[in-house]
Amino acid sequence: MELFELSQVSHRVLNLLKLSRIPVVRSVNVLIGKMDSIFFYEFGSSTKIDFAIDFVEKPQSITGQIKINNICIDISKNTEKRIIYCKSSQYEVALVPLLTHLDKIFFQVEWAIGIELNVLNTMREILHFSRLSVHNLGKMPLEDLKALDSEIAYLKNHQFTETDINEFLHHWIEGNSKKLRHLHLDGFKDTPDWDILLKDISFTEWNPKERERYYKSKYTNEVETIDCENGRDFRNKDGQLATVVHHSEFLDFLVWNDRFKQ
């Protein structure tokens, strides 16, 4: 909270903070929809909040302003609880500039973003963050999936079919979505129809000489281990190895940067 407030002192101080790249090893959750909030967890914790910025309908009393990218945001503060309150009416115009500002002044921060379906259409630019979680995706257009600019994306309650995913995999094979490392989709309680999902894709079963059995994905401060023994492997035009694997009710698309433990 002190560093954030310091960044508001002057452009010179802001530039010094950017150049300093001060490490703030925290996981940061951004909730959009029913609750509009940005909160930093305490170091080593996934429950205790160290600093929060909440957008609320009626801040207790306006005590000042913060200015980001020429946008002035009215605020009130609860210093004891380490919370800054902003007006919810300024939420849509201020959220993305505010997140960009935080990303500039803090280093080694891991972002987790959860978006409610009712605000997804108006917050499409959020799709450009490195880690994305949408808990109620609904009927997201396939073109938006192709345009996804995230490294890790958890998309839940979607309506994608095996045919849609096959088209997306071909899109990746052609050399697109190069940032993507892990796409996690729910809604596959039954084994998918592999003939449709992998239509016209040259794939192989797991070969322990080609990659590890387990894939480790770090979304926030926790590492998820995924068993890929039954996965289907294939490569894009640049030779990058990827796996599609089904487990429980989930389908995971995984790109291997490190195929073997060092």
Side-chain angles (χ1 to χ4, degrees):
M1 185 172 184
E2 289 81 1
L3 287 171
F4 174 74
E5 292 184 321
L6 190 61
S7 72
Q8 292 291 307
V9 171
S10 68
H11 287 295
R12 182 173 179 273
V13 172
L14 175 58
N15 288 333
L16 287 172
L17 286 172
K18 291 178 184 177
L19 291 171
S20 300
R21 294 176 63 81
I22 299 172
V24 181
V25 186
R26 299 285 193 277
S27 59
V28 184
N29 275 26
V30 182
L31 301 181
I32 304 169
K34 293 180 180 178
M35 174 183 179
D36 301 326
S37 183
I38 305 166
F39 49 90
F40 288 66
Y41 286 123
E42 289 184 7
F43 179 73
S45 173
S46 59
T47 56
K48 295 182 180 178
I49 296 175
D50 184 40
F51 165 47
I53 301 174
D54 285 346
F55 289 86
V56 295
E57 185 175 352
K58 294 180 180 179
Q60 293 180 346
S61 59
I62 302 301
T63 58
Q65 285 186 331
I66 55 177
K67 188 175 181 180
I68 298 167
N69 289 358
N70 297 319
I71 298 173
C72 292
I73 307 169
D74 296 326
I75 65 166
S76 62
K77 293 192 296 184
N78 185 322
T79 304
E80 184 179 345
K81 291 185 177 180
R82 307 178 69 78
I83 301 175
I84 291 176
Y85 296 101
C86 305
K87 285 184 176 180
S88 56
S89 59
Q90 294 181 289
Y91 165 70
E92 286 192 13
V93 69
L95 180 64
V96 173
L98 184 57
L99 293 178
T100 303
H101 180 81
L102 292 170
D103 197 43
K104 288 178 179 177
I105 63 176
F106 294 128
F107 180 54
Q108 293 182 0
V109 170
E110 296 178 338
W111 298 90
I113 301 177
I115 309 175
E116 290 292 326
L117 178 63
N118 63 325
V119 298
L120 181 60
N121 288 332
T122 59
M123 301 304 296
R124 290 273 174 205
E125 61 267 49
I126 293 292
L127 298 179
H128 296 291
F129 282 88
S130 61
R131 288 168 174 80
L132 178 71
S133 173
V134 184
H135 292 274
N136 195 9
L137 186 70
K139 195 171 183 179
M140 179 184 187
L142 181 59
E143 291 307 310
D144 280 348
L145 180 62
K146 291 180 179 179
L148 200 67
D149 199 28
S150 301
E151 293 178 13
I152 301 175
Y154 284 19
L155 306 181
K156 302 179 180 180
N157 291 327
H158 61 88
Q159 295 183 22
F160 296 126
T161 65
E162 284 97 334
T163 300
D164 294 327
I165 297 168
N166 174 261
E167 187 173 335
F168 174 78
L169 295 181
H170 279 284
H171 170 80
W172 180 82
I173 288 170
E174 291 167 4
N176 302 294
S177 301
K178 292 184 177 181
K179 288 185 180 179
L180 188 62
R181 295 291 172 262
H182 182 187
L183 175 63
H184 177 85
L185 301 167
D186 70 354
F188 290 91
K189 292 183 179 179
D190 298 322
T191 303
D193 188 326
W194 292 109
D195 290 337
I196 298 175
L197 196 144
L198 295 174
K199 182 181 179 182
D200 297 326
I201 294 176
S202 178
F203 67 90
T204 60
E205 305 294 334
W206 173 46
N207 180 351
K209 294 181 179 180
E210 289 290 326
R211 63 164 173 82
E212 293 279 359
R213 172 179 173 178
Y214 297 99
Y215 185 100
K216 295 187 182 297
S217 179
K218 187 176 182 181
Y219 182 68
T220 54
N221 59 336
E222 296 182 358
V223 176
E224 179 184 8
T225 300
I226 301 167
D227 189 343
C228 298
E229 181 180 11
N230 297 319
R232 274 68 168 175
D233 295 354
F234 51 92
R235 297 176 184 271
N236 68 4
K237 69 174 188 178
D238 300 317
Q240 180 74 60
L241 182 68
T243 298
V244 173
V245 62
H246 174 258
H247 55 97
S248 301
E249 61 183 79
F250 305 108
L251 189 75
D252 283 289
F253 168 72
L254 308 161
V255 178
W256 297 83
N257 279 344
D258 300 312
R259 292 182 287 156
F260 298 98
K261 295 177 182 178
Q262 300 297 320

